[in-house]
Amino acid sequence: MAWKLEIGRHNYKEVPMLRVLTSTLIFRPLPAKALIAFLLIIFSLIPPALGSQQIEPKRVLVLFSFRPTLPVASEWDRSIRSVFRANTSHRIEIHIEHLDLTHFEENRHIQLLLDVYRYKYSKQKPDLIIPVFNSAVDLVLKHGPDLFPGVPIVFGGIEDEFIENLSLGPNITGYLRDNDYTATLELALQLHPNTRQVVVFAGADPVGRKWSKTARKAFQEYEDRFDFSYLIGLPMEVLFEKLANLPAQTVIMALPFLKDGSGKDFIFNDVLSQITTVANAPIYTFWDVCIGTGIVGGYLSSFEKEAKAVARLALRVLNGEDPADIPVTRAPMFSYMFDWRQLKRWSIPAHKLPPDSIVKFKELTVWNRYKAQIISAIALALFQALLISYLLYQRRIHRLTEEKLLQTEQKYRTVADYTYDWEYWQNYDGSLQYVSPSCERICGFTSQDFMKNPSLLQDIIVPDDKESWDEHRRSLKKETKSAGIQFRIRRQDGEIRWIEHACQPVYDDQGNPSGLRASNRDITERKNYETETLQLQSELAHIGMVSTIGTLTSALAHEINQPLAAMRSYAQAALRFLDADQPDYHNLRKALQGIVADNKRASSVINHLRSLIKKEKHRVESFDVNSLIERVVFLLNSEIILRNAEVKLNLHPNAPTFYGDSVQIQQVIINLLTNALDAIDNQPLGRRHIALFTKTEKPGDIIVSVSDSGGGIDPDKMGEIFNPFYTMKSHGMGLGLAICQSIIEMHGGQLDCENNPGAVLSIPVKAAVKELWKKE
């Protein structure tokens, strides 16, 4: 059975299932049906691999001049395959043929080889041929046109003189090699400056004899300075004896030795390994494959570098380049290389070696041999020392941290336990983590009472406020943000207390909610003060209203006398209509209707006055501000006429409904309107103008503005006009604007004053609707 190895992208390694199949067929025999089913499954899983076998590979024929057992053969073979294996452009199929022409040069042998190759490659000719060394190249040049007509050829391993008289065809290119004998000799003489004799040995084989001639020619220029001896084609025993008894100050140059004078075959590296043990002089050679056999070294050519260069050149041709366009050049192949053991044996110091020299087989010192272990041990010791230091440091930090933590805990516990307000920290499940002792002062229950029974927080809230409390708790679950509420609790002794509650969510280090932090303050005294203040403000506002009405007595009297005088005239007319011979019932009816109308008018004025001066409790209702302004203007109409003033109304048609105390808001507008009337008293007739208008800037807000054409207010006094008891009138008390500001702020708005252009005083009233005053 014949086998061939394919190298490329679709090689054996890319089909791992084939290996499973092979092992199954060899070690686990299956029944026929099971085997067929198994094969169907396997090949269905690897269609790409099977498909790849149909791709026609590139066939490369490598012709080696020597036997496959020589080290140079394995080095060339391995290097060429490594380049082809890394190739991704083609799938390459390599065929290797060893001509062995270094041992068999007869024409009969060559003719038999030609017959074999003609038969083997008659059907599948190679796509490219790589002949290696002179014999293979010579065979291809002579018989290639007959055996492989037109096939590209990329050669390697041959010298200049071999092809200098040959005519290469357009399908041939390659790399030349250069055995630089003089460079190695110069190196040996430099490392052994007292050298007097140079001994050159080679085998009786054609390669040894040929290269010994080339070396003799290269060494001719040194023969006048040194004694040269050439030991060519001697029997091995004789060669051993001569090399073991060389005179002092001798160096040896080793050339290929594949056959001795008695006809025995050898491998060059084996010969070197034996000779170096008996020779009494250092041995140098010219090829890197010999390093390790006992030679010192030299300026060595690398078969690996040469073979890879030839393989890369072959890939260029396979990729489509024309060999005729690729000139024949020298392969990059030389480097200084030495055996460290031989340098030590022959006392050659390392500083004498050329720069960038490669030294192999260097014996390691204790440091070099156990560097990893020494470094690991030192690193482990340092790590342990650092770890111990770190642990001691952490212990100290831990102790200091504990001390700071105790101090911090003591500090914050002191702050929390001795706070005046009642503090607590509650989890979302209702349990409590902390309750400050101040809770006992506020509610009568101890912190332990709350810790044992967290529901006590809700139980002490008065029933009327529990709905607000529940709504507050529900809103916290929907929106985790700070919030506050006021409610009443019943102390343990039964006393009712007002509590101002503020809470905010608490988060842990990861940002997860971990409960609520609450602060409760007893505001009972503040609530009582607010109630008393509200009562005082109401009484003060009532006094201010009565005072305002007092200043308008003459106008109000005129407003009332006018309908009364009209009623008297209507009554006298009615009596005359009744005393007539023929009573005029039609006019009599009109007179009576006039009496009724004027009566209603007088009654309306009186009712307005009664509502203004009547002392009632504060109440919240919805009303239309525009209508309220119109009623105030109606009420003060007589005063406006008496003062020859002109009042202009500019009311927003879609003013929002206002929630609050209409009597108090009416009092504010009356006060502002009477102030405007006072401000324009010193203005000439025709320039006494007052404007009232309403507008909105955002939903839920309304602005009421009262502007007059008076002389305005001194800017330096503008900040004092709302202070109590501050007045610019000779007859004023200085409470009007202060009361107005208090009423507007209580309704959630603000009262401002500014001098308009043209010395017109404008007092806008921005009254915002607050939840406190809403009445759904």
Side-chain angles (χ1 to χ4, degrees), residues 333-526:
M333 51 190 296
F334 287 99
S335 59
Y336 289 101
M337 191 175 298
F338 301 91
D339 187 330
W340 183 87
R341 296 166 298 186
Q342 301 305 315
L343 293 176
K344 186 176 180 181
R345 174 186 174 185
W346 300 104
S347 302
I348 301 174
H351 69 271
K352 282 191 173 184
L353 302 180
D356 301 325
S357 295
I358 300 172
V359 180
K360 292 192 172 183
F361 311 111
K362 187 174 183 179
E363 291 183 6
L364 301 178
T365 62
V366 174
W367 165 253
N368 290 328
R369 185 175 301 172
Y370 303 104
K371 180 167 63 175
Q373 293 86 336
I374 294 173
I375 292 175
S376 299
I378 295 174
L380 180 61
L382 290 174
F383 175 74
Q384 289 178 339
L386 290 173
L387 182 60
I388 293 172
S389 301
Y390 176 75
L391 291 175
L392 292 174
Y393 173 74
Q394 288 297 318
R395 180 184 176 187
R396 180 172 178 272
I397 293 298
H398 183 67
R399 186 175 68 253
L400 294 175
T401 302
E402 284 185 343
E403 294 176 358
K404 290 182 179 180
L405 184 61
L406 290 174
Q407 294 174 0
T408 302
E409 182 179 0
Q410 181 66 29
K411 178 175 67 176
Y412 284 104
R413 180 165 289 280
T414 300
V415 173
D417 288 349
Y418 289 91
T419 183
Y420 188 76
D421 294 332
W422 167 19
E423 311 280 347
Y424 66 82
W425 180 2
Q426 187 177 30
N427 299 320
Y428 281 111
D429 61 0
S431 60
L432 292 166
Q433 293 197 34
Y434 172 78
V435 180
S436 64
S438 55
C439 65
E440 188 173 3
R441 176 185 60 81
I442 295 176
C443 65
F445 295 96
T446 66
S447 58
Q448 293 301 321
D449 294 335
F450 287 103
M451 296 294 290
K452 293 177 182 178
N453 182 21
S455 61
L456 188 60
L457 286 173
Q458 286 185 301
D459 295 342
I460 63 176
I461 298 175
V462 298
D464 291 343
D465 293 346
K466 282 189 176 180
E467 183 178 354
S468 299
W469 171 260
D470 293 339
E471 178 62 27
H472 168 70
R473 299 292 291 186
R474 285 193 295 269
S475 65
L476 287 176
K477 293 181 180 179
K478 294 179 182 178
E479 300 182 10
T480 54
K481 61 181 182 179
S482 303
I485 188 177
Q486 295 180 359
F487 57 85
R488 292 166 293 175
I489 64 169
R490 187 179 299 277
R491 284 173 47 90
Q492 191 175 27
D493 56 10
E495 182 184 358
I496 302 298
R497 307 292 292 180
W498 273 96
I499 300 297
E500 184 177 60
H501 170 87
C503 60
Q504 61 181 9
V506 179
Y507 299 93
D508 59 17
D509 295 338
Q510 287 73 37
N512 301 315
S514 60
L516 293 171
R517 180 73 167 81
S519 176
N520 298 304
R521 176 169 295 181
D522 186 349
I523 59 170
T524 304
E525 295 182 0
R526 192 176 80 190

Side-chain angles (χ1 to χ4, degrees), residues 661-711:
D661 192 325
S662 61
V663 174
Q664 291 186 354
I665 299 300
Q666 187 175 13
Q667 177 184 346
V668 171
I669 296 174
I670 290 174
N671 192 292
L672 295 178
L673 187 55
T674 55
N675 282 348
L677 289 171
D678 292 339
I680 62 174
D681 270 345
N682 58 351
Q683 297 296 320
L685 295 178
R687 291 189 58 186
R688 299 179 182 183
H689 305 295
I690 299 175
L692 286 86
F693 63 86
T694 58
K695 65 178 181 179
T696 59
E697 290 184 347
K698 57 183 178 179
D701 282 6
I702 183 171
I703 297 177
V704 180
S705 181
V706 181
S707 300
D708 63 70
S709 59

